Amino acid sequence: AQSVAQPEDQVNVAEGNPLTVKCTYSVSGNPYLFWYVQYPNRGLQFLLKYITGDNLVKGSYGFEAEFNKSQTSFHLKKPSALVSDSALYFCAVRDGNRDDKIIFGKGTRLHILP
Amino acid sequence: KAGVTQTPRYLIKTRGQQVTLSCSPISGHRSVSWYQQTPGQGLQFLFEYFSETQRNKGNFPGRFSGRQFSNSRSEMNVSTLELGDSALYLCASSPGLAGAYNEQFFGPGTRLTVL
């Protein structure tokens, strides 16, 4: 069965420092991977996705993520954090070889400290 | 294009009642998925509809049901409400099946409180 894990419930980063939000996954086929962000009292917004191609994916608001097949990871990164990046981040995976549902992680709350 | 809209935005019900939530996807999107979001459980998948057919279903009791109409609008129904059903219910649409190449577009959610 497919699964996705976000091992950290919360990540604290000082403004201006690089940030990483971790995500690992498990699927039997090819993974389709997504990152979404949720601001308070809002629905989720798409940040970026990996379907195929370059392992480094660039997305909205200066975020990027690296697909690592050997480590089954898809960590979200940003070189310099902004206070406005403070939000709840979700990783999601779907098995590209099966007609199955997309699975979301439990979310990681990112706090950027001024 | 207008975004995904959900109605109502807020709802207060009592135990044992039933509730119907509505979702209008982005024009041209054929897939609508529903999720339950709670602080402790994160985002839990309820079901996905594509061209009026339920394609996938999450691990929720039969009290949770849904349907999709020919114009892709979708409704979700919860019968015999329980206190634990209090949550934010999110709807998401995508052109094709959720996560199959396409990202999803989420609505603002319906906040359901069961007293």
Side-chain angles (χ1 to χ4, degrees):
Chain A
Q2 59 190 19
S3 65
V4 60
Q6 294 180 244
E8 301 154 320
D9 290 337
Q10 182 168 309
V11 172
N12 297 322
V13 177
E15 186 177 24
N17 282 2
L19 70 86
T20 299
V21 183
K22 296 179 180 178
C23 172
T24 59
Y25 65 90
S26 175
V27 297
S28 56
N30 293 320
Y32 293 166
L33 294 153
F34 301 82
W35 275 103
Y36 289 86
V37 60
Q38 185 179 34
Y39 297 102
N41 302 313
R42 303 278 295 276
L44 277 67
Q45 296 178 32
F46 169 75
L47 277 178
L48 49 79
K49 65 182 176 184
Y50 172 83
I51 304 298
T52 187
D54 289 341
N55 289 344
L56 184 64
V57 179
K58 294 189 183 295
S60 306
Y61 311 123
F63 284 94
E64 59 187 30
E66 185 166 13
F67 169 62
N68 188 317
K69 188 173 183 177
S70 62
Q71 297 187 4
T72 62
S73 67
F74 190 55
H75 301 330
L76 182 70
K77 300 183 179 184
K78 186 172 182 180
S80 179
L82 300 172
V83 172
S84 57
D85 293 329
S86 298
L88 187 57
Y89 290 80
F90 290 94
C91 179
V93 67
R94 181 186 172 122
D95 189 329
N97 293 62
R98 292 163 51 112
D99 183 11
D100 207 344
K101 56 186 176 286
I102 186 170
I103 299 293
F104 281 78
K106 291 201 170 186
T108 297
R109 188 162 297 281
L110 179 62
H111 285 288
I112 306 302
L113 310 171
Chain B
K1 276 186 179 178
V4 178
T5 58
Q6 293 188 245
T7 56
R9 291 293 310 278
Y10 301 92
L11 209 48
I12 298 176
K13 293 285 187 179
T14 56
R15 278 180 299 174
Q17 287 187 308
Q18 78 163 22
V19 66
T20 299
L21 311 181
S22 181
C23 172
S24 292
I26 290 173
S27 178
H29 286 194
R30 297 167 66 188
S31 167
V32 173
S33 299
W34 288 90
Y35 299 88
Q36 182 194 67
Q37 185 177 16
T38 57
Q41 296 297 318
L43 210 61
Q44 303 265 303
F45 172 80
L46 281 155
F47 26 67
E48 178 184 9
Y49 287 88
F50 184 82
S51 295
E52 301 180 68
T53 301
Q54 187 180 87
R55 292 298 300 263
N56 287 295
K57 191 177 190 307
N59 297 323
F60 279 81
R63 301 185 295 108
F64 291 82
S65 63
R67 59 178 175 169
Q68 186 180 32
F69 302 96
S70 58
N71 61 358
S72 292
R73 190 178 70 84
S74 178
E75 287 183 348
M76 189 192 93
N77 185 274
V78 188
S79 63
T80 321
L81 284 166
E82 300 178 358
L83 295 179
D85 297 334
S86 294
L88 181 67
Y89 290 87
L90 293 167
C91 163
S93 75
S94 57
L97 290 172
Y101 300 102
N102 305 116
E103 63 268 29
Q104 295 174 280
F105 295 80
F106 283 78
T110 294
R111 173 76 61 185
L112 172 65
T113 302
V114 182
L115 302 176

